[in-house]
Amino acid sequence: PVIVIDALLGTGFKGRLNSPRKELVEEANKLTALRVAVDIPTGMNGDDGSGELLFDADHTIARGYPKWAHLTSPRLKKIWLVRLEFDPALIGGIGEEEKLHYLTPAEAKTLFPGRTLESHKGSCGKVGILGGRREMLGAALLAGRSALRSGSGLATLWLEDLAPALGLMPELMLEEWSGFLNKELDVLAIGPGLGRDFPLNLEAALKRHAGTVLLDADALHLLKEGQIGREWIRGPLILTHNPGEMKMLLGHEGERRDDVLELARRYQAT
């Protein structure tokens, strides 16, 4: 087979390709061949994975360490990492926030706990979800189903009104908002379908909960407005915002990587 190896430009490239590189990449992409990029495809920005015209690599061989683009670009196919030796002094001079921490799919699988022959629903984690306003019931049901499918033994939904949900998913436990957090949980998620005019004061309940808290959707607006206080949360905090919600929480919009780091620092959150 014909193999085309791309080693035209490095990871510092930004902007658009000009002649003759533009024509070379266009011609290479037309060939019936196996295309291999060294470190990063020509035309791609190594910091964020952007690029108008890219070498269409079937395989990208990352050298030394992955770059941000390797993990953030949806346009890359198979990525291989080739280790290189670096001067220890060079590695030691890199700040913690400049380091990229990631899990491969195989590593992520090892984090899921195994189940013993004596396992039962009470020993496999208890998840609670506060959300489900009448007109947005589906968001809470989807979150509850996801909790069970990802391994939780018991999942409770606190909903505005139980009647529309009865019988839809009998494996979920249902409670009304007024009974919120009347049991011990490992993980508490707040926000799916909650609405922004939530009527209850959450301070006392959150201060009782010692486990992980996940804030999503409308709960992020409650966090911004002070209806959820960061100091009320004793355990780890996870924020699952979209780009618009991240802008709302920060009050501005900048480079995505910088915004994520700023938000993590501001709320001491993942």
Side-chain angles (χ1 to χ4, degrees):
V2 176
I3 301 175
V4 178
I5 299 175
D6 166 31
L8 280 173
L9 297 174
T11 58
F13 173 79
K14 293 177 174 61
R16 296 181 177 181
L17 292 173
N18 52 22
S19 296
R21 298 185 181 96
K22 178 177 181 291
E23 288 76 18
L24 284 170
V25 169
E26 289 174 337
E27 288 302 315
N29 287 346
K30 293 177 185 176
L31 294 175
T32 302
L34 180 69
R35 284 181 285 272
V36 180
V38 177
D39 218 14
I40 200 162
T42 290
M44 178 173 283
N45 182 321
D47 287 336
D48 60 18
S50 63
E52 189 174 298
L53 172 65
L54 308 180
F55 177 79
D56 185 17
D58 299 297
H59 298 269
T60 299
I61 301 174
R63 297 184 298 172
Y65 292 96
K67 284 66 180 181
W68 284 96
H70 291 137
L71 300 182
T72 60
S73 174
R75 301 168 72 178
L76 295 177
K77 298 172 186 175
K78 190 71 175 178
I79 302 170
W80 303 87
L81 179 62
V82 176
R83 295 291 185 186
L84 296 178
E85 294 297 326
F86 291 92
D87 187 328
L90 177 65
I91 304 303
I94 299 175
E96 190 61 33
E97 289 188 349
E98 295 175 308
K99 294 180 181 178
L100 180 59
H101 299 276
Y102 69 98
L103 291 172
T104 65
E107 290 168 334
K109 286 181 181 179
T110 66
L111 298 177
F112 283 88
R115 295 196 177 191
T116 70
L117 292 175
E118 296 179 339
S119 295
H120 57 85
K121 63 183 179 181
S123 62
C124 295
K126 302 176 179 67
V127 174
I129 298 161
L130 175 63
R133 187 174 291 276
R134 289 185 186 89
E135 62 271 22
M136 295 185 287
L137 178 64
L141 290 172
L142 286 170
R145 177 184 294 169
S146 298
L148 292 173
R149 287 192 174 183
S150 58
S152 170
L154 294 167
T156 301
L157 301 187
W158 282 280
L159 309 172
E160 182 180 21
D161 184 4
L162 301 187
L166 292 176
L168 293 180
M169 292 184 63
E171 62 271 39
L172 292 171
M173 294 180 288
L174 305 179
E175 304 264 3
E176 291 188 342
W177 281 352
S178 58
F180 174 57
L181 215 53
N182 54 6
K183 59 183 70 176
E184 289 189 6
L185 302 171
D186 297 297
V187 177
L188 170 63
I190 305 176
L194 186 66
R196 299 182 191 177
D197 53 347
F198 183 69
L200 300 183
N201 187 325
L202 298 174
E203 182 175 0
L206 282 174
K207 286 181 175 179
R208 288 196 306 270
H209 175 64
T212 299
V213 173
L214 184 149
L215 300 182
D216 176 55
D218 294 319
L220 297 167
H221 290 269
L222 300 184
L223 178 66
K224 175 72 172 180
E225 295 161 8
Q227 289 180 261
I228 294 176
R230 175 63 183 91
E231 67 278 10
W232 305 345
I233 298 170
R234 297 159 53 196
L237 173 62
I238 300 171
L239 306 178
T240 57
H241 49 76
N242 61 33
E245 290 161 345
M246 181 161 65
K247 180 180 179 181
M248 175 272 298
L249 287 167
L250 289 175
H252 61 80
E253 184 176 15
E255 200 279 323
R256 189 172 188 178
R257 183 173 57 186
D258 294 337
D259 284 353
V260 168
L261 289 171
E262 181 181 347
L263 196 62
R265 284 194 300 264
R266 181 178 298 188
Y267 288 102
Q268 291 298 294
T270 299

